[in-house]
Amino acid sequence: MSTEDKGTGIKGYAGGWITERTGTDAPFFLKLAYPIIALAAIAYLIIYMNGELTSDHGTLVAQLNTVTGTNNLFMYIVAGMIAVYLLILVVFVFGKSKHEE
């Protein structure tokens, strides 16, 4: 639901809580932040999928890592789902919006 002030070209959403000027787009750094965050999520998931194995957190953490085990296939599936989301997100963010046509 949007209301538009014809004289100033400002649209209001959510009862006037959110406003935007017609014809403006999101800043480039904000568009770039979305894919960077998704890529960081994929990298974090792949790097730490088996736990943080290089540091010494104590015997209880080491025992927990050995008892719980790993499931690399599941983690790669989740990373693949994030990658699909990233592709959809990039098309949406950098594509032309419907109100620009």
Side-chain angles (χ1 to χ4, degrees):
M1 179 173 157
S2 70
T3 60
E4 184 172 345
D5 185 2
K6 303 283 190 234
T8 60
I10 296 177
K11 289 193 283 186
Y13 301 98
W17 284 87
I18 302 170
T19 59
E20 75 174 358
R21 188 169 306 276
T22 56
T24 58
D25 201 12
F28 183 74
F29 72 90
L30 185 60
K31 287 183 174 185
L32 195 60
Y34 293 123
I36 289 174
I37 292 169
L39 287 172
I42 292 173
Y44 181 83
L45 189 70
I46 299 298
I47 291 170
Y48 293 110
M49 81 167 74
N50 294 324
E52 192 174 355
L53 304 175
T54 58
S55 64
D56 184 26
H57 288 291
T59 57
L60 290 178
V61 174
Q63 288 175 358
L64 179 70
N65 285 341
T66 57
V67 170
T68 56
T70 61
N71 191 350
N72 290 343
L73 177 64
F74 175 72
M75 297 304 272
Y76 284 121
I77 290 172
V78 172
M81 290 170 55
I82 295 172
V84 169
Y85 169 75
L86 174 63
L87 290 175
I88 294 169
L89 180 71
V90 166
V91 168
F92 178 74
V93 167
F94 292 105
K96 190 173 184 177
S97 67
K98 291 185 186 341
H99 73 280
E100 289 178 358
E101 296 173 350

